[in-house]
Amino acid sequence: MMRQFELVERVKSYDPSADEDALNRAYVFTVKAHGSQKRASGDPYFSHPVEVAGILAGMRLDSSSIITGLLHDTVEDTLATLEEIERLFGPEIARLVDGVTKLSRVELTSGQTKQAENFRKLVLAMSEDIRVLLVKLADRLHNMRTLRFIKDADKRRRIARETMEIYAQLAERIGMHEMKDQLEDLAFAELHPDAREGIRARLAFLREKGGDVVPRVIAELRNTLKEGGVDARVTGREKSPYSVWRKMQRKDVGFEQLSDIMAFRVVVDTVEQCYQALGVMHSRYPVVPGRFKDYISTPKPNQYRSLHTGVIGPERQRIEMQIRTREMHEVAELGVAAHWSYKEGAPKTEGPQYRWLRELLDILEHASGPEEFLEHTRLEMFQDQVFCFTPKGDLFALPRGATPVDFAYAVHSEIGDTCVGAKINGRLVPLRTPLQNGDQVEIVTSKAQTPSPTWERFVVTGKARARIRRFIRTQQRQQYLDLGKAIVQKAFRQEGQDFAEKALEPVLKDFEAETLEDL
Ligand code: MN
């Protein structure tokens, strides 16, 4: 476990302006608050928040994030209150800790991963400050590192699946590849221990048989580039067992057929040198068709930029290669965290967290898949959405400002038509109450109820509005029908005729009406 002065020194090393006093106070506060609580591992509980803070410091985050990491479990798991944290550490820290606490609570209400995409969105929508999400990811990373200490195997698997489907994906979506790789590998070890061991053993065997292939290939690639006039840093590694496994699954091939298990990275200074290095590689080694991708001219939605190619490399082996600049590399490894650079000298008063948030929203907006576009209109994209649970734990996404009536119609038209009341988190509320993220909504229905015209004034979803309007129109039509019939009957009576609907049929055409009802 990182000791107090080590943590503070680490933060100071990349951010000399960090609030040393607050860091020290937060460290002492969390140690005291968690007191004699123990982790499943038998370690004192406070080792967990301290490790989380250490992970965040490794990401070079600001001192507010580190302090939030230290305090992140105190409100949920100890006697400490949010008011106390606000008094001692100020409103910004209190807001961040509150965000992480709320996320942890939602996590407990839903054990289902079939709604993974909605759940990912819920997490994002609740992480109003990107730092809340980063603390949550660091929290999850440390929990995964200590997962083996949990005795209940079902619980371990549930946490591992959730990590794979929710948190690793979120890390990737905000461009944090290193975090994603670690989370995936830890979850893989829990979910498919045999497959992982098999792949690791096979990789070890190949390594032994081929000798130190990776260093030899690195040396030759570096030489080749030098001869071609490109000064580059070349690194290489075996792919992670999980990515090898995924590839085997996807292509339905056995391990023996899987040839490109090594990936190399060429880091240069400028964009021009990237293309120059690519040219050198392609002229020197046979190119594997279909592997070249230019993510520099067309970056990925999460801002990832690099050139990708595959060649038959020095040892007559297929190798994958990524070519990028130093800056692209930082972004690829740390994602949005890389933008948080003190070296850039971003003025603190500008509130870097807002810049982050904007960037993140930007990324997310462009990251949405085609199915998203079909499902929601642009205005209803998920940063404008709220996510609410049914009492059974099903998750529904609604536009911001949605009310229990919208929720009822989203669950089922019938439930909408007959709703008379609603409970949010167990408390009876007016039907016009705007829903909040993570609310559990229970709709009270009555067969005697029909949609009320007043609902139209506060519902926000198209579905609810359409149903209510349709009901009102049918109701009005019936009223007009009754009225029209009464008028015609009266006219017949005044003329001394007996009224019969049949008698009107010949004149339908004259009035351009198709049916008696229309007339
Ligand atoms: Mn925690």
Side-chain angles (χ1 to χ4, degrees):
M1 187 183 78
M2 209 181 243
R3 284 190 286 173
Q4 189 170 339
F5 75 93
E6 288 171 321
L7 179 68
V8 174
E9 269 176 17
R10 182 127 180 220
V11 178
K12 290 292 251 184
S13 73
Y14 62 81
D15 178 15
S17 71
D19 189 344
E20 193 172 332
D21 171 56
L23 281 167
N24 279 317
R25 282 188 294 120
Y27 195 105
V28 173
F29 185 89
T30 199
V31 169
K32 274 197 185 146
H34 289 291
S36 57
Q37 288 175 347
K38 290 263 189 294
R39 296 272 289 173
S41 60
D43 286 337
Y45 193 93
F46 60 75
S47 64
H48 164 66
V50 169
E51 291 296 337
V52 169
I55 292 169
L56 294 165
M59 289 153 66
R60 301 162 63 91
L61 295 190
D62 69 327
S63 49
S64 296
S65 306
I66 314 289
I67 292 168
T68 304
L70 287 168
L71 303 176
H72 82 272
D73 276 332
T74 56
V75 172
E76 188 72 5
D77 296 338
T78 78
L79 294 173
T81 63
L82 208 54
E83 290 70 38
E84 200 177 356
I85 284 176
E86 172 153 9
R87 187 162 47 77
L88 293 170
F89 300 98
E92 184 192 17
I93 302 287
R95 189 170 49 77
L96 292 171
V97 172
D98 189 35
V100 181
T101 306
K102 280 183 178 148
L103 265 186
S104 309
R105 284 184 190 149
V106 171
E107 197 172 50
L108 298 174
T109 54
S110 170
Q112 311 185 13
T113 46
K114 62 170 183 183
Q115 297 171 306
E117 179 56 18
N118 263 349
F119 199 81
R120 286 195 287 270
K121 291 180 194 167
L122 170 66
V123 172
L124 286 169
M126 288 186 74
S127 310
E128 279 161 23
D129 189 309
I130 179 70
R131 291 173 295 178
V132 169
L133 180 58
L134 296 171
V135 173
K136 192 65 215 165
L137 287 172
D139 176 39
R140 179 50 65 116
L141 180 59
H142 184 249
N143 284 336
M144 286 304 293
R145 284 179 182 166
T146 53
L147 187 67
R148 63 185 184 281
F149 295 112
I150 293 177
K151 291 218 168 60
D152 181 348
D154 284 342
K155 190 176 175 191
R156 281 202 311 269
R157 293 184 69 80
R158 182 181 65 74
I159 294 173
R161 256 197 309 274
E162 195 181 77
T163 299
M164 197 70 109
E165 290 173 27
I166 311 283
Y167 293 99
Q169 305 276 327
L170 281 174
E172 169 160 52
R173 207 176 273 196
I174 59 174
M176 305 183 71
H177 291 266
E178 200 182 311
M179 171 73 80
K180 174 196 166 246
D181 284 348
Q182 288 189 47
L183 289 173
E184 267 178 359
D185 191 53
L186 290 162
F188 186 43
E190 176 61 37
L191 296 171
H192 303 281
D194 296 343
R196 182 166 175 272
E197 270 324 297
I199 290 170
R200 279 162 60 101
R202 178 78 192 168
L203 288 173
F205 172 76
L206 288 178
R207 206 178 303 135
E208 206 163 297
K209 199 181 77 176
D212 278 332
V213 185
V214 172
R216 283 208 307 273
V217 173
I218 289 178
E220 193 179 325
L221 290 180
R222 198 181 288 134
N223 248 337
T224 307
L225 285 165
K226 206 170 191 177
E227 284 165 19
V230 185
D231 191 18
R233 195 158 59 89
V234 183
T235 56
R237 61 182 174 104
E238 282 168 3
K239 291 184 188 167
S240 74
Y242 180 68
S243 69
V244 172
W245 186 74
R246 275 250 320 255
K247 203 160 203 172
M248 285 163 63
Q249 302 277 313
R250 207 168 50 225
K251 299 196 168 160
D252 201 22
V253 296
F255 194 86
E256 284 72 22
Q257 292 157 269
L258 205 70
S259 47
D260 45 353
I261 52 168
M262 288 182 294
F264 293 87
R265 194 167 283 150
V266 175
V267 179
V268 293
D269 286 332
T270 65
V271 173
E272 289 71 36
Q273 284 173 343
C274 289
Y275 289 100
Q276 210 181 333
L278 180 76
V280 172
M281 289 296 162
H282 280 188
S283 55
R284 175 67 194 271
Y285 305 109
V287 177
V288 179
R291 303 311 290 268
F292 172 64
K293 295 208 177 66
D294 185 347
Y295 292 120
I296 291 180
S297 68
T298 318
K300 284 194 187 180
N302 61 13
Q303 296 190 359
Y304 176 86
R305 298 197 301 157
S306 277
L307 299 174
H308 286 192
T309 190
V311 298
I312 310 291
E315 304 262 324
R316 312 295 310 150
Q317 292 212 35
R318 270 173 68 153
I319 57 174
E320 281 188 5
M321 207 180 300
Q322 301 167 332
I323 303 171
R324 51 173 72 147
T325 66
R326 214 176 302 273
E327 191 201 337
M328 293 172 196
H329 182 61
E330 290 239 310
V331 173
E333 293 299 300
L334 286 173
V336 280
H339 297 294
W340 188 301
S341 169
Y342 290 93
K343 280 172 265 157
E344 278 174 18
K348 285 218 154 185
T349 47
E350 213 198 355
Q353 68 269 33
Y354 298 116
R355 186 163 55 96
W356 268 54
L357 191 59
R358 264 202 316 277
E359 280 171 6
L360 179 67
L361 290 180
D362 213 47
I363 293 166
L364 295 173
E365 188 158 336
H366 293 105
S368 58
E371 71 281 0
E372 184 114 4
F373 268 101
L374 295 176
E375 201 181 333
H376 314 287
T377 67
R378 247 192 108 66
L379 272 177
E380 289 180 355
M381 289 278 280
F382 60 85
Q383 59 266 41
D384 302 320
Q385 287 179 311
V386 290
F387 299 84
C388 300
F389 295 93
T390 66
K392 281 187 193 156
D394 287 334
L395 192 52
F396 283 86
L398 296 163
R400 199 161 280 277
T403 63
V405 176
D406 293 293
F407 185 84
Y409 275 107
V411 175
H412 199 281
S413 314
E414 193 80 358
I415 296 179
D417 285 345
T418 58
C419 87
V420 285
K423 284 183 187 168
I424 294 179
N425 304 324
R427 199 182 300 153
L428 212 54
V429 296
L431 283 175
R432 58 179 339 126
T433 313
L435 300 173
Q436 307 291 331
N437 268 318
D439 278 350
Q440 191 201 62
V441 188
E442 187 183 342
I443 301 295
V444 188
T445 58
S446 157
K447 288 237 158 56
Q449 175 72 332
T450 54
S452 156
T454 56
W455 293 354
E456 213 196 316
R457 276 184 243 137
F458 58 76
V459 296
V460 299
T461 50
K463 185 177 179 191
R465 184 162 291 136
R467 287 286 298 198
I468 297 165
R469 277 200 189 140
R470 180 135 48 109
F471 179 83
I472 295 168
R473 258 205 315 274
T474 351
Q475 212 180 25
Q476 283 175 344
R477 189 175 159 91
Q478 194 56 47
Q479 284 168 357
Y480 284 131
L481 268 177
D482 293 344
L483 185 64
K485 201 163 161 185
I487 293 170
V488 177
Q489 278 174 339
K490 195 175 171 193
F492 269 74
R493 248 197 329 275
Q494 281 170 346
E495 298 297 322
Q497 302 281 339
D498 282 337
F499 172 74
E501 288 189 3
K502 255 196 149 36
L504 289 173
E505 274 169 18
V507 299
L508 278 180
K509 254 209 188 105
D510 299 336
F511 290 96
E512 287 176 14
E514 291 209 351
T515 67
L516 279 176
E517 287 195 351
D518 290 345
L519 178 67

